[in-house]
Amino acid sequence: MNQPKEKEHNKRYFEKDQKNTEDSSKGKNEKVQVFNIKITPNLIKANKFKNKDTVNTIRPKRNKKFEGKAPIDPEKLEVHSRGEGVGKGVRHPLHAEKLRKRERKYNYAQEQAARAEILLTEGQGGVEVEEGGKTTAISQKIIAENVDITAASKIFELNLAFGPYQAKYSRNGRHLLLGSKKGHLAAFDWFTKKLHLEINVMESIHDISWLHTETMVAAAQKEWLYMYDNTGTEIHCIKKMDKILRMEFLPYHFLLAAVNEFGFMTWLDISVGEIVGHYNNRLGRTAVMAQNPYNATLCIGNSKGVVSLWSPTVKDPLAKILCHKTPLTALAVDNRGMYMATSGVDRSMKIWDIRHLDGPIQDYRLRSAPVDLEFSQKDMLAVGLNEVVEIYNNCCTKTTEKPYLRHRMAKTINNFKFCPYEDVLGIGTSSGFTSIIVPGSGEPNFDALESNPFQNKKQRKEAEVKALLDKIPAELITLNPLDITEVDVPSMQEQMEAKKKLLYLKPKKMDFTPRHKKKGKTNIARKKIIKEVARKDFIEQTKEAKKLLNLSEEQKAKKPSFGVLDRFVPTVKTKKQ
Amino acid sequence: MEDIEESEYVAADHDLLVSAVSKLDKTQHITEPTRNESTNIGSEFNLLKRTNRLNLNSVAKILGDTAHHVQISKKLKKTQDKSKVLSKPLEKPQAERIKRSTGYEATKKKVGRWDPVVARSRTVDYVSFPLKSASSKLEPTGDFLTKLTLKSDLEKQLDEVDPPPFIEEEVEEEPVFPMTYEEMVEHRKHIAKMRAQQSYKAAKAKRQSKIKSKKYHRVLKKEKLKQQLKEFEELQKTDPEEALKKLESLEKARALERHTLRHKNTGKWAKNKLIRAKYDKEVRQQLAEQLAVSRGLTKKVQDNESSDDEADDGAIPDMTLSQDPMNPWMMQRPDKSNVNTEFDFGYKKFVQNKIGKKDDSDTDSNDENVDDEPSNGISVLKDSINRLTRIDDSSDDTTEAVEQETITVRDSVKPSQSLTSKPQRKTVVTQKSLKRAKSSEGKSKKIKPIATTNWEVVEVEPVKVSTLNVSEDITEVFEKHEDSIAQKVENKLKQIRRNIEMLEKAARSNKRDTKKIEDRKEKSNLEYLELKKKNVKPIIDEELIETSSKTVQDDDKDDQSLSKILNTAQAPSEPSAGSSTSNIDPNRFIQAKPKFLNTALSQGDNQYDQLDDDDEQVVPKVNIEEVFEEDDVVASFRQEKEDEINKDKPEEINLALPGWGSWGGKGIKPQRRKRNRFINKPAPVMPRRDENKGDIIIKEHKNPKLGVHKVKDVPFPFESVKDYEASIRAPLGNTFIPEKAHKKLIRPSVITKAGKIIEPMDEDELLLPKNKRFRNEAIIKLLGQKK
């Protein structure tokens, strides 16, 4: 008898609760719809978030003073990326771990480089005009009036008597070398106008070049190639290089490349005084030459309108591009080795994608054949037309309409060079040298370890030693400078085949697929272009089709109008395709 | 004498008593023989296994407590104590081997402690020595200052005369503990952890053992089974022989179950069979048979049930007690071998029941129970209904029912003890009650196979043939299923019809004029993705249209496409000196349109200068290119490219010998078969870089001088070219990357401080957290192996 009572007494708390809840739920059941919800961790998370909003909880203030490093823009990070890292291919645990650590360091370097961009404080200059105004209308005089004195002092003119002058700036942009057809050779610091040397070699000078430092210059004279130090003392006469028409100095390889009247090309290693490459290019006499700073190949344009690329170790051209149907007049390659500008006698000027050997990207027709072409560090293109220099801004990626600046002179142009790290264009003319300001042409931020305009003597010596230590062998001059980072797979396969034939030797297993490289965005860009073109075509087609349709529709039916009550007429939605 | 006699007498009595007691022990039944008379012949019955050794203890006892003999007895005892025979020492090499092996183990363990330390120091970026950096604690100011004070000459002299009292610093000798504090803490931590783990495991085991939930166990069992299956499958992959063995063992383990017909495909046996069924056709058949039998059985049961319900209520079969396998009491009886009962269920039992029924109906018709049958029948029916409603508790119910009517026989179950001679009770079970119980059981059995045996019942499917309306349910389900299938089929048919209609419509519309437009559109849609491609390849990839009603238009279309394909296929074979130009579509893309720029003109020809600032394009009347038209630069360049391409192409090698095996000479063509056989076709060449680039020639030759600088072998840890190339992809120089990163990358792996003595590591290194935290087992194992 007692048992049931006891049971009641002993009823556990949850039993009672259950009953209560059941009762309450019964009461609610009539109105409340019950959903069968499976509780998942995600749901709980979501509810947590909701609860936070609803419940008045005072969020603890972040009293962290230092919240860690600032986040980096992923796009900037991507710029400094070195490509895909080592995957999980290495099975040896110790080496795999070491490689992982190394990867981490590479990532750190990348991140650090992205962070260091904050130190590039200088911005690119430019010319701003009122609406409707033209930048070509701004002459050097106006510029000189509007800039500070130091900048204005960069506009100057040297009237020299010894015929058409060649001008070249040193690699850091501080020094200027002038050589005239009539033998006048002069080198000076053009900032301070301090003269280093001034001599007359008493022979015609065809081309001039700075060597690795400003203490040495080379002059291609009537017969031989001569070298002078900064006091004007002749230090070398290289008789192996004769009758030179054009010269280029390849700073990282310490090579002086030259082409002579008979089409012989010579590469002289100035650090050891050896001729690295010497052969005839069989193109005939040509004075159109430029170096590609990206891979140190020489681009030579000939009278048949073909530009060929040369390296010292291969006696055939690495590549040939038929640029014009007429003889070439000038040739220039931009600093990054992306674009090449060529001009022919046919008064046309074309831009090529020299990195991928493709093009032409742009095709311009001018009103006279250019004498010289030159790219600035910021990819401005100077075009010399007899007495006028026109500077085009942004003419490679898209088609320009008109020049950015125009400078007219009273004398014919012989050659011109943009001054590195300065917004200056130096023009060698028939009667001297003219320096003009081209706003935004130069690289505003210089890397002092690379080339320092404000270098002192000690730094120069230090840089010379370092540059010599970092000298790149001439054999590495190829179309793709990153060839060296690749494994020579064919010869490796040969070796492995030979090893396989040996007895008692376990053959190595090897995956020969080379690393997938990022070859720039051009492929993507090309695809984009294709798509864009297709899209435009499609749009045009649709427009045409719509026109047709509209006509028919208009003919077909006009909706009856109800005046103000039109708004209540239901609109029939047409399906979009 | 009397005393002696008495004592003897007493002794005899005592012996008797002792023997009586020893009899209780039962171990030695035969008493030691006593020799009464001296004889030469020893009886064979008197031969006992008895050691001849003299029991020194008894001798010593005899010597007694006399003072004189105490010494001797003690000595005796002592000799006995030490008389343990030492085991023969092991052979020297053997002993040494053992010593070596144990020594090796110990040393291995000892040295093995260093593994993580070594592994860590191998993997870290750099190690700097000395390991223990000098303490950065500063000296107390006073001490530091005393070194700086200068003493005057007078003071020095005074000090010589009267040296200042040398204050001996009491160096408190620290007590030497077997373990350092850190070690001790470590040790304690370790022990605590172990203990915690142990207790945790124990608690877990206890908890798990207490779980009564059937579901839990079922899940557990399923998991186990899955695991087994997985293991088996793995084993099959790795070691098929082993797998076969395991399969056999599995088979053996379930061999007994094989005879039974239990629970369709839910029982263990069936599950084990299922494993085999994947690989064995026979087993599959067996399973199918089993299923068929079970189905048949269930059907029969239903039939029986219905018949029972109708009329056969009264005819409840009787069974003899001994034959009843379902009686739990009988099964629990220890004296009866359970082997038979264990397998008396399922199919076998059903057969037995049937036989029993027949027998009963034959033999027991005259039994007295027959009179009671109607009432019995009703109760049985009730029981069965109850059972149906409470399926799970059915077995319990039956046992309870039996319990109420039977005399408990628990006592008999208890094992009789040897020492306590309790009168054994015999089970008295009334025939009647048992019979009743039996009949009810039998009925219930017929309705549903209930788990009354030791076999585990696994309920997997909710399909239970228990309720009366099961058959109806099944039919319903089948009907539903059929319906759904029919609907699906109909839907599909409809879709197909619709498709056909659509196609027909399209064909009709094609007949009209829209066809051309469509074609054009398609082309434009498809071809815009083409690159400026010169080697046009035939595209034979055509859409497959599955229709029987192929219209004429379609045929036309096909013909067109076919001709197109043919054209493209033929195109490359044609000499393409001039055709290459025609293949280039100038409007494709990127072909830059000439842009006329209003450039400045020199002062001399100033006629256009007024136009200078206009935005219009001034197109000159005379095209200068026309002047140079005569020297065909383009054609010659293309010829050059062609030559270049052909130069690199490997040629076919003809190995055919003219006249070999056939006639040779002028005008005789070699057989086609032979030609094909003897021509070595070169491997297909990689596409050239300049293949689709227009008037650009890229020479594809290997630069042998560059090869000198290239890597020809991939070094050790790398197994793919890709990985190695990735590892050398980034520059390290400070001209390429920031100084900080550069420094980090070129830091030497070992840094030593100049002028410092590098002490070897001591055991404190083992306890450093950085070493303890190192847990890369793979590396530890690798480095440990080398020793």
Side-chain angles (χ1 to χ4, degrees):
Chain A
M1 282 296 285
N2 280 341
Q3 270 187 348
K5 261 191 180 177
E6 270 181 20
K7 263 187 185 173
E8 266 187 25
H9 277 292
N10 288 343
K11 218 172 218 177
R12 307 291 294 275
Y13 64 98
F14 52 82
E15 287 176 275
K16 217 173 186 180
D17 277 359
Q18 254 185 2
K19 230 183 185 179
N20 284 343
T21 48
E22 270 172 25
D23 288 346
S24 57
S25 65
K26 268 178 194 171
K28 280 177 187 174
N29 265 347
E30 293 163 5
K31 285 177 185 176
V32 177
Q33 209 175 348
V34 178
F35 293 96
N36 208 3
I37 294 168
K38 219 180 186 182
I39 293 166
T40 57
N42 278 336
L43 199 73
I44 292 165
K45 252 186 202 173
N47 278 323
K48 259 186 192 172
F49 177 69
K50 271 182 196 169
N51 284 339
K52 263 186 190 173
D53 279 3
T54 50
V55 179
N56 270 339
T57 49
I58 300 159
R59 261 190 208 169
K61 264 191 183 177
R62 275 194 183 178
N63 49 6
K64 263 188 185 176
K65 271 186 182 175
F66 182 67
E67 293 194 357
K69 285 175 180 173
I72 312 165
D73 183 14
E75 276 181 27
K76 270 186 186 173
L77 208 61
E78 186 58 33
V79 168
H80 295 278
S81 164
R82 302 285 175 186
E84 200 187 345
V86 182
K88 288 179 178 173
V90 178
R91 280 186 301 170
H92 193 282
L94 183 61
H95 289 280
E97 179 65 24
K98 280 186 173 174
L99 278 171
R100 225 171 291 140
K101 290 203 164 164
R102 187 140 270 258
E103 274 314 303
R104 235 174 279 154
K105 281 181 195 168
Y106 288 150
N107 285 341
Y108 174 76
Q110 179 193 355
E111 192 185 298
Q112 205 63 20
R115 285 193 191 286
E117 270 191 11
I118 208 174
L119 303 172
L120 307 177
T121 49
E122 302 294 320
Q124 197 182 350
V127 178
E128 279 177 18
V129 288
E130 290 162 16
E131 237 176 87
K134 280 177 182 168
T135 48
T136 42
I138 293 164
S139 66
Q140 290 299 311
K141 204 180 168 188
I142 299 169
I143 290 174
E145 278 166 5
N146 285 293
V147 294
D148 57 312
I149 302 169
T150 43
S153 72
K154 284 169 189 168
I155 300 173
F156 63 91
E157 209 172 323
L158 300 174
N159 287 317
L160 304 164
F162 295 94
Y165 274 86
Q166 289 260 344
K168 266 182 187 174
Y169 288 100
S170 66
R171 221 158 69 80
N172 58 12
R174 187 68 189 250
H175 306 278
L176 179 67
L177 181 64
L178 294 176
S180 82
K181 202 87 188 167
K182 289 174 186 161
H184 182 201
L185 185 70
F188 60 102
D189 180 343
W190 72 271
F191 275 29
T192 56
K193 314 286 189 298
K194 188 195 159 207
L195 194 68
H196 296 316
L197 76 124
E198 186 170 27
I199 50 171
N200 198 323
V201 295
M202 307 302 284
E203 262 180 344
S204 62
I205 292 175
H206 296 274
D207 203 0
I208 45 168
S209 178
W210 287 101
L211 297 187
H212 60 287
T213 55
E214 66 265 18
T215 54
M216 279 192 270
V217 295
Q221 295 175 17
K222 188 191 166 194
E223 281 297 321
W224 328 115
L225 175 76
Y226 288 85
M227 285 182 189
Y228 302 93
D229 72 353
N230 59 347
T231 56
T233 319
E234 179 190 318
I235 48 176
H236 289 296
C237 168
I238 296 145
K239 293 196 174 175
K240 276 185 182 175
M241 298 170 81
D242 60 335
K243 308 245 177 189
I244 283 161
L245 286 178
R246 281 282 169 273
M247 279 198 306
E248 281 289 342
F249 182 69
L250 312 174
Y252 297 106
H253 302 78
F254 281 83
L255 291 179
L256 187 68
V259 63
N260 77 355
E261 276 189 356
F262 315 109
F264 271 96
M265 300 180 68
T266 317
W267 281 265
L268 175 72
D269 188 337
I270 60 149
S271 63
V272 288
E274 249 178 30
I275 284 174
V276 178
H278 180 75
Y279 54 82
N280 197 336
N281 60 19
R282 287 178 293 241
L283 291 174
R285 184 194 156 98
T286 174
V288 180
M289 186 170 98
Q291 66 159 307
N292 183 350
Y294 174 62
N295 53 18
T297 53
L298 286 190
C299 304
I300 291 181
N302 72 350
S303 59
K304 284 183 175 174
V306 177
V307 171
S308 42
L309 276 64
W310 302 84
S311 96
T313 48
V314 185
K315 293 191 176 178
D316 285 314
L318 302 174
K320 278 178 167 184
I321 309 168
L322 178 63
C323 295
H324 298 265
K325 291 174 185 174
T326 58
L328 287 173
T329 56
L331 174 68
V333 183
D334 94 313
N335 244 24
R336 293 171 295 163
M338 298 262 268
Y339 306 110
M340 178 175 73
T342 60
S343 65
V345 180
D346 58 352
R347 294 186 201 148
S348 70
M349 181 176 78
K350 287 179 186 173
I351 311 287
W352 302 81
D353 182 356
I354 188 78
R355 180 132 71 166
H356 296 106
L357 293 165
D358 213 343
I361 303 168
Q362 305 293 345
D363 187 357
Y364 296 109
R365 297 289 147 87
L366 313 175
R367 276 156 63 185
S368 59
V371 183
D372 199 4
L373 295 171
E374 177 73 11
F375 274 108
S376 86
Q377 280 178 323
K378 284 286 178 188
D379 273 356
M380 284 186 185
L381 180 65
V383 182
L385 308 153
N386 289 334
E387 306 131 355
V388 189
V389 187
E390 285 189 340
I391 292 119
Y392 290 91
N393 192 4
N394 216 346
C395 62
C396 301
T397 46
K398 51 188 176 185
T399 318
T400 47
E401 299 293 326
K402 49 187 172 247
Y404 170 61
L405 279 183
R406 180 177 292 159
H407 183 65
R408 195 181 285 276
M409 291 174 293
K411 42 212 165 183
T412 53
I413 292 160
N414 190 35
N415 92 324
F416 46 73
K417 294 281 173 199
F418 276 104
C419 179
Y421 311 107
E422 288 289 338
D423 289 348
V424 164
L425 178 71
I427 307 160
T429 58
S430 54
S431 60
F433 174 81
T434 313
S435 172
I436 60 168
I437 286 181
V438 182
S441 67
E443 170 67 48
N445 299 293
F446 63 86
D447 179 358
L449 289 173
E450 173 70 15
S451 55
N452 185 2
F454 307 105
Q455 205 172 37
N456 57 30
K457 203 173 182 179
K458 218 172 181 183
Q459 281 170 337
R460 189 186 70 213
K461 282 176 179 171
E462 186 74 14
E464 190 175 2
V465 173
K466 278 198 173 159
L468 273 167
L469 287 173
D470 289 343
K471 191 181 107 173
I472 305 169
E475 292 92 65
L476 299 189
I477 299 177
T478 47
L479 278 182
N480 179 15
L482 299 176
D483 264 350
I484 194 69
T485 62
E486 285 164 17
V487 175
D488 193 359
V489 172
S491 53
M492 184 184 157
Q493 267 170 333
E494 264 171 39
Q495 271 187 9
M496 287 185 77
E497 285 299 315
K499 266 189 186 174
K500 264 184 195 170
K501 279 172 193 164
L502 293 176
L503 287 172
Y504 313 119
L505 205 67
K506 196 182 167 191
K508 232 177 172 182
K509 270 187 184 175
M510 188 59 62
D511 180 12
F512 288 109
T513 47
R515 185 160 169 262
H516 175 70
K517 286 164 293 178
K518 280 187 175 176
K519 285 191 171 179
K521 287 167 191 168
T522 44
N523 217 2
I524 300 159
R526 177 185 302 197
K527 276 175 190 168
K528 265 187 189 169
I529 290 163
I530 295 163
K531 274 186 183 171
E532 193 75 5
V533 169
R535 204 173 59 89
K536 274 180 185 169
D537 279 0
F538 182 70
I539 288 166
E540 275 177 14
Q541 276 181 5
T542 46
K543 270 182 186 172
E544 282 173 11
K546 264 184 189 174
K547 270 180 194 171
L548 287 170
L549 284 172
N550 276 341
L551 279 172
S552 59
E553 268 179 16
E554 277 173 4
Q555 283 168 0
K556 262 183 189 174
K558 268 190 178 177
K559 277 179 189 172
S561 99
F562 302 100
V564 186
L565 299 173
D566 258 352
R567 69 184 73 166
F568 296 112
V569 175
T571 51
V572 182
K573 274 183 185 174
T574 51
K575 263 191 182 177
K576 277 187 182 177
Q577 278 183 350
Chain B
M1 280 299 284
E2 266 188 26
D3 261 37
I4 296 162
E5 270 182 25
E6 254 192 336
S7 69
E8 271 181 15
Y9 194 76
V10 170
D13 275 357
H14 181 75
D15 279 354
L16 260 174
L17 182 70
V18 165
S19 68
V21 168
S22 66
K23 261 175 197 167
L24 286 174
D25 191 25
K26 284 185 182 176
T27 46
Q28 189 92 18
H29 297 291
I30 308 161
T31 49
E32 250 178 89
T34 47
R35 202 163 55 183
N36 303 330
E37 284 175 44
S38 59
T39 49
N40 281 340
I41 310 143
S43 169
E44 59 186 87
F45 300 110
N46 291 344
L47 286 175
L48 277 176
K49 47 171 186 176
R50 196 173 57 154
T51 51
N52 288 330
R53 243 195 289 168
L54 181 69
N55 196 357
L56 281 174
N57 256 341
S58 52
V59 173
K61 223 182 238 173
I62 287 164
L63 285 173
D65 300 334
T66 48
H68 176 68
H69 297 305
V70 164
Q71 288 282 339
I72 299 165
S73 66
K74 267 187 183 172
K75 263 187 185 173
L76 265 173
K77 270 182 185 172
K78 229 180 192 178
T79 49
Q80 207 199 6
D81 282 347
K82 287 198 173 174
S83 65
K84 227 182 207 173
V85 181
L86 281 175
S87 60
K88 194 183 157 197
L90 280 171
E91 295 289 321
K92 206 180 177 187
Q94 215 173 344
E96 292 222 308
R97 198 179 301 145
I98 290 167
K99 197 180 164 191
R100 259 182 278 133
S101 69
T102 49
Y104 170 73
E105 288 298 326
T107 326
K108 196 181 164 191
K109 208 176 174 189
K110 205 176 171 187
V111 173
R113 291 181 305 160
W114 290 95
D115 281 352
V117 180
V118 173
R120 192 195 151 267
S121 59
R122 290 277 168 88
T123 48
V124 287
D125 289 340
Y126 66 96
V127 202
S128 74
F129 292 110
L131 286 166
K132 280 179 183 165
S133 54
S135 63
S136 57
K137 270 185 189 170
L138 289 170
E139 271 181 299
T141 326
D143 287 2
F144 186 72
L145 285 177
T146 48
K147 286 175 193 168
L148 302 176
T149 49
L150 284 175
K151 284 180 176 176
S152 64
D153 289 344
L154 184 68
E155 272 178 320
K156 277 177 192 169
Q157 280 172 2
L158 272 174
D159 278 354
E160 270 174 31
V161 174
D162 182 21
F166 182 69
I167 304 157
E168 248 187 68
E169 279 183 31
E170 285 182 15
V171 183
E172 281 185 26
E173 277 189 21
E174 285 185 6
V176 182
F177 295 111
M179 281 192 272
T180 61
Y181 173 70
E182 280 167 328
E183 274 174 343
M184 214 155 71
V185 168
E186 176 69 11
H187 186 65
R188 266 172 63 186
K189 261 188 198 168
H190 182 70
I191 286 170
K193 200 179 170 191
M194 288 287 285
R195 223 181 290 132
Q197 270 179 351
Q198 225 171 349
S199 67
Y200 168 70
K201 269 183 187 168
K204 196 182 176 187
K206 212 175 178 183
R207 183 161 43 80
Q208 276 181 346
S209 69
K210 270 189 181 175
I211 293 172
K212 280 176 189 167
S213 158
K214 273 185 183 174
K215 197 176 177 184
Y216 169 79
H217 284 291
R218 209 180 298 146
V219 169
L220 209 70
K221 225 173 285 159
K222 260 187 195 172
E223 260 169 26
K224 261 185 199 166
L225 199 79
K226 263 186 193 168
Q227 187 64 28
Q228 233 177 357
L229 218 145
K230 218 185 213 172
E231 272 171 19
F232 173 72
E233 241 152 39
E234 264 181 357
L235 205 67
Q236 208 201 10
K237 269 177 202 164
T238 51
D239 193 355
E241 276 184 29
E242 216 27 61
L244 212 70
K245 273 183 193 170
K246 201 172 183 191
L247 207 69
E248 269 177 6
S249 72
L250 276 172
E251 205 175 18
K252 264 180 194 170
R254 295 297 159 225
L256 300 175
E257 238 180 338
R258 229 184 266 174
H259 309 293
T260 62
L261 288 169
R262 298 181 64 255
H263 305 299
K264 294 183 159 189
N265 51 357
T266 57
K268 263 192 179 174
W269 171 85
K271 274 175 184 169
N272 277 322
K273 279 281 171 192
L274 271 175
I275 300 170
R276 275 188 69 111
K278 267 188 187 173
Y279 314 101
D280 202 342
K281 218 174 186 179
E282 279 183 25
V283 174
R284 247 175 278 156
Q285 266 179 355
Q286 278 176 16
L287 268 174
E289 274 173 28
Q290 179 87 348
L291 277 172
V293 170
S294 76
R295 220 175 288 141
L297 279 174
T298 48
K299 223 175 194 178
K300 267 180 189 171
V301 165
Q302 274 166 15
D303 286 349
N304 279 354
E305 204 176 47
S306 61
S307 65
D308 275 2
D309 283 342
E310 282 164 21
D312 245 353
D313 268 5
I316 294 158
D318 257 348
M319 265 184 107
T320 50
L321 185 70
S322 58
Q323 274 181 331
D324 185 6
M326 292 321 296
N327 193 335
W329 306 113
M330 298 308 288
M331 278 172 72
Q332 277 176 1
R333 248 166 65 173
D335 48 348
K336 195 189 169 193
S337 70
N338 244 356
V339 181
N340 242 339
T341 51
E342 223 177 300
F343 299 103
D344 280 357
F345 49 76
Y347 181 64
K348 210 173 174 185
K349 208 203 85 192
F350 178 78
V351 174
Q352 266 187 5
N353 281 357
K354 258 199 160 178
I355 294 161
K357 236 191 248 170
K358 271 183 189 171
D359 287 352
D360 284 358
S361 59
D362 288 344
T363 55
D364 292 13
S365 56
N366 55 354
D367 212 291
E368 53 181 89
N369 285 357
V370 183
D371 303 351
D372 300 339
E373 264 176 12
S375 61
N376 253 353
I378 290 160
S379 69
V380 163
L381 238 173
K382 274 179 184 170
D383 263 5
S384 68
I385 287 161
N386 277 343
R387 203 166 290 117
L388 292 177
T389 49
R390 290 173 289 157
I391 296 154
D392 285 358
D393 303 331
S394 59
S395 59
D396 290 5
D397 280 359
T398 51
T399 50
E400 268 173 45
V402 172
E403 223 168 349
Q404 281 168 10
E405 286 169 314
T406 56
I407 300 160
T408 51
V409 284
R410 284 274 160 85
D411 290 356
S412 67
V413 179
K414 283 177 188 169
S416 57
Q417 288 168 359
S418 58
L419 288 174
T420 57
S421 56
K422 278 183 183 175
Q424 287 196 353
R425 275 191 223 164
K426 283 195 175 179
T427 58
V428 186
V429 184
T430 55
Q431 193 91 349
K432 182 181 160 190
S433 57
L434 261 178
K435 263 179 201 161
R436 201 182 291 165
K438 172 62 223 139
S439 60
S440 69
E441 279 264 292
K443 196 112 194 262
S444 73
K445 256 289 113 78
K446 271 179 241 163
I447 293 155
K448 194 220 163 202
I450 299 158
T452 47
T453 60
N454 297 342
W455 296 100
E456 290 111 330
V457 179
V458 185
E459 292 171 344
V460 171
E461 287 162 47
V463 184
K464 283 168 187 168
V465 207
S466 56
T467 50
L468 292 170
N469 54 353
V470 158
S471 56
E472 289 171 22
D473 278 354
I474 284 172
T475 49
E476 267 181 28
V477 165
F478 271 106
E479 274 171 13
K480 269 183 191 172
H481 192 66
E482 266 180 73
D483 278 359
S484 66
I485 284 173
Q487 211 157 9
K488 270 183 189 173
V489 168
E490 259 188 20
N491 280 343
K492 272 227 164 145
L493 271 171
K494 268 183 194 170
Q495 219 171 355
I496 288 163
R497 263 176 224 144
R498 221 177 295 147
N499 281 348
I500 288 167
E501 276 175 14
M502 291 263 279
L503 278 167
E504 279 173 356
K505 264 186 193 171
R508 251 176 268 148
S509 62
N510 272 355
K511 271 175 196 168
R512 282 173 219 152
D513 223 87
T514 51
K515 181 195 154 199
K516 281 177 191 172
I517 296 163
E518 267 186 16
D519 277 0
R520 205 189 303 151
K521 267 190 182 174
E522 274 173 31
K523 265 184 205 166
S524 63
N525 276 338
L526 285 171
E527 284 173 355
Y528 74 82
L529 277 174
E530 273 182 29
L531 295 174
K532 57 170 185 180
K533 174 173 154 186
K534 271 157 256 168
N535 294 349
V536 185
K537 281 149 199 157
I539 300 155
I540 317 177
D541 198 9
E542 281 286 291
E543 252 187 311
L544 186 75
I545 306 166
E546 290 177 21
T547 46
S548 52
S549 60
K550 202 177 186 184
T551 56
V552 186
Q553 294 294 331
D554 275 340
D555 277 353
D556 282 357
K557 221 178 174 181
D558 282 2
D559 284 346
Q560 278 178 11
S561 58
L562 266 175
S563 63
K564 196 178 159 192
I565 288 162
L566 279 173
N567 281 339
T568 48
Q570 280 162 2
S573 60
E574 289 168 9
S576 58
S579 69
S580 61
T581 48
S582 65
N583 277 340
I584 304 165
D585 192 352
N587 299 326
R588 190 41 74 214
F589 76 100
I590 296 190
Q591 191 67 347
K593 284 174 193 165
K595 166 79 183 165
F596 292 91
L597 289 172
N598 298 329
T599 54
L601 282 173
S602 49
Q603 300 284 350
D605 32 26
N606 227 352
Q607 63 216 41
Y608 291 116
D609 228 21
Q610 281 75 28
L611 294 166
D612 192 30
D613 285 343
D614 289 348
D615 288 335
E616 290 171 27
Q617 286 193 18
V618 181
V619 183
K621 285 165 193 167
V622 186
N623 196 350
I624 290 198
E625 268 182 54
E626 285 164 17
V627 180
F628 294 91
E629 203 78 317
E630 280 172 26
D631 25 328
D632 200 357
V633 183
V634 179
S636 68
F637 189 84
R638 278 177 192 158
Q639 187 57 47
E640 207 182 322
K641 185 171 181 178
E642 188 95 348
D643 293 345
E644 186 68 35
I645 291 166
N646 289 335
K647 196 176 80 185
D648 285 358
K649 257 187 196 164
E651 279 180 10
E652 293 178 346
I653 303 162
N654 195 352
L655 292 173
L657 286 173
W660 188 261
S662 64
W663 289 105
K666 255 188 180 178
I668 291 172
K669 276 186 180 175
Q671 283 178 12
R672 200 182 186 187
R673 188 177 58 81
K674 270 191 178 169
R675 248 187 300 157
N676 288 342
R677 196 177 158 195
F678 286 109
I679 287 174
N680 264 2
K681 277 181 182 170
V685 271
M686 289 279 286
R688 287 175 61 89
R689 270 187 73 192
D690 55 9
E691 198 179 13
N692 290 325
K693 282 188 169 170
D695 293 331
I696 291 169
I697 303 171
I698 302 170
K699 292 268 168 82
E700 302 211 330
H701 47 63
K702 236 179 98 180
N703 190 349
K705 282 177 182 171
L706 176 67
V708 175
H709 296 276
K710 270 183 150 181
V711 182
K712 285 194 196 76
D713 198 10
V714 174
F716 157 59
F718 298 101
E719 280 168 2
S720 72
V721 172
K722 187 186 162 194
D723 280 340
Y724 177 61
E725 283 180 358
S727 78
I728 56 169
R729 74 187 190 281
L732 311 179
N734 59 354
T735 48
F736 291 92
I737 57 174
E739 189 69 26
K740 225 173 153 186
H742 164 69
K743 280 272 160 62
K744 212 175 181 183
L745 274 162
I746 63 161
R747 186 159 43 198
S749 56
V750 177
I751 298 168
T752 51
K753 291 216 170 69
K756 292 263 179 168
I757 298 163
I758 298 169
E759 300 279 357
M761 269 184 194
D762 57 5
E763 297 205 333
D764 287 349
E765 203 73 12
L766 291 171
L767 297 164
L768 290 180
K770 63 180 177 186
N771 286 328
K772 283 197 291 186
R773 247 182 279 130
F774 188 82
R775 292 247 169 75
N776 199 332
E777 289 301 327
I779 295 173
I780 292 172
K781 203 181 159 192
L782 179 95
L783 292 171
Q785 273 173 359
K786 278 181 183 170
K787 279 162 203 164

